[in-house]
Amino acid sequence: MKSGVSIDDVLAEVALMVRPQFGKGRPADYIPQLAGVDPNKFGMAVCTVSGGEHVIGDADEPFSAQSITKLFALGLALNQIGDEVWTRVGKEPSGTPFNFLSQLEYEHGVPRNPFINAGALAITDTLLDTVKAPELLVRDFIGMLSGSRLEIDEAVAQSEIDTAHKNRAIANLMRGAGTITHAVEAVIAAYCRQCAITISCRQLARAGLPLAADGFSPIAEETIFPSRLTRRLNALLLTCGTYDSVGSFAYRVGLPAKSGVGGGILAVVPGQAAIAVWSPELDKFGSSVVGTAALEYFSQLTNCSVL
């Protein structure tokens, strides 16, 4: 980022610049519990590797983390079993929606990457090899990285379990192909409960700091990921983290990032900072309209793009 730039001033300017973007998307109404979230919410937090924290708006209001949790589940799986993870899931952009079924069937039940739903279900199945409740492992891992006690919103979780028809189809296809080995309902329940973890922008930015600090967590005061794994996670975020809009997102923002249909986005400025933004209205790809614009303006104003 530009030296001498006041992050607080940048956030204030970004908050003004994104105002015209409100109303251009819609919340994730296919999950009933998320349909009623106030669409005018906006929060943003920047946590630097040197210990600075800068926030604006609703940065301390918890929201549903949803697919952002896939990043931390993947980190846990890679820390546990290493590259064996890649025998179940690929590393390529999908070019299709996050719950697309036809591509998975065509490719014999092997998901393109860990951030589409099929790939995340495969990671959940992998974690089930070692723990009975992987959603609690993921919750506590993110909580440890953020220095907070996080919760699972059980109403959101049940809402997702009740409407997980497409995910059940995906899981059954992979079960038939041998990509997942545990009972489909156990995988679905753990995955939906993981997605229902609630977190604020400030907490999320803190949790993302190891990806900016070469694997070290200033909050937990320990190395979480080896340097090599940190670089690889950031590479996957850049190429797969925003589903089938990764090209457009990289063009506009130029930062590794993971979005979620709760309206949150976690972005990484390697060596410098983690940025979290939340606004519930989504574009057609499932990423926050206002959040993407906020990251684009922040990147422009601070010259922090990695591209």
Side-chain angles (χ1 to χ4, degrees):
M1 289 187 280
K2 291 179 181 177
S3 60
V5 171
S6 166
I7 296 177
D8 291 324
D9 289 347
V10 169
L11 290 178
E13 187 168 353
V14 166
L16 292 174
M17 295 171 75
V18 298
R19 286 182 180 176
Q21 303 302 319
F22 285 96
K24 292 186 177 181
R26 55 188 298 178
D29 51 9
Y30 64 92
I31 300 174
Q33 285 293 321
L34 298 185
V37 178
D38 183 351
N40 295 310
K41 292 289 185 179
F42 169 74
M44 193 167 184
V46 179
C47 291
T48 66
V49 297
S50 59
E53 292 191 0
H54 310 267
V55 300
I56 197 166
D58 303 304
D60 289 309
E61 181 170 335
F63 61 90
S64 191
Q66 294 294 317
S67 287
I68 298 172
T69 62
K70 296 173 181 177
L71 165 63
F72 299 97
L74 174 62
L76 281 167
L78 286 168
N79 267 345
Q80 285 185 359
I81 66 171
D83 286 346
E84 187 182 332
V85 166
W86 307 121
T87 64
R88 297 204 201 186
V89 61
K91 315 179 194 71
E92 300 298 328
S94 67
T96 55
F98 56 80
N99 61 353
F100 200 62
L101 192 59
S102 300
Q103 183 181 64
L104 182 66
E105 185 172 16
Y106 180 76
E107 296 180 346
H108 310 292
V110 179
R112 277 286 180 98
N113 66 69
F115 297 146
I116 56 174
N117 286 12
L121 289 166
I123 296 301
T124 296
D125 186 75
T126 299
L127 294 176
L128 275 166
D129 289 342
T130 56
V131 294
K132 291 183 178 180
E135 71 275 18
L136 300 183
L137 180 68
V138 174
R139 180 200 64 184
D140 293 344
F141 181 53
I142 304 173
M144 180 266 291
L145 295 178
S146 67
S148 309
R149 179 178 175 82
L150 302 182
E151 302 294 339
I152 292 173
D153 187 322
E154 296 295 348
V156 171
Q158 193 60 53
S159 178
E160 294 197 52
I161 291 169
D162 291 344
T163 57
H165 312 303
K166 192 74 171 285
N167 283 336
R168 283 186 176 87
I170 290 170
N172 275 293
L173 195 159
M174 290 196 294
R175 183 77 165 89
T179 308
I180 66 173
T181 60
H182 295 89
V184 165
E185 285 305 316
V187 175
I188 291 293
Y191 171 70
C192 290
R193 297 192 75 238
Q194 171 191 302
C195 287
I197 293 168
T198 58
I199 196 166
S200 70
C201 288
R202 188 193 300 266
Q203 292 167 332
L204 182 57
R206 288 175 176 174
L209 273 172
L211 295 174
D214 202 30
F216 180 77
S217 169
I219 304 298
E221 298 184 327
E222 63 179 283
T223 297
I224 305 300
F225 304 122
S227 295
R228 174 170 166 266
L229 177 54
T230 304
R231 292 193 299 272
R232 290 183 168 184
L233 286 170
N234 280 329
L236 284 165
L237 288 175
L238 189 64
T239 57
C240 306
T242 51
Y243 308 121
D244 47 330
S245 68
V246 289
S248 174
F249 190 92
Y251 183 86
R252 292 177 59 188
V253 178
L255 294 173
K258 184 73 198 80
S259 62
V261 297
I265 306 175
L266 171 65
V268 180
V269 186
Q272 298 187 59
I275 309 166
V277 62
W278 170 56
S279 190
E281 293 181 328
L282 309 179
D283 61 22
K284 63 181 180 179
F285 303 109
S287 296
S288 171
V289 172
V290 174
T292 300
L295 289 168
E296 179 181 11
Y297 296 140
F298 185 91
S299 176
Q300 291 174 356
L301 292 169
T302 61
N303 194 29
C304 67
S305 170
V306 301
L307 301 175

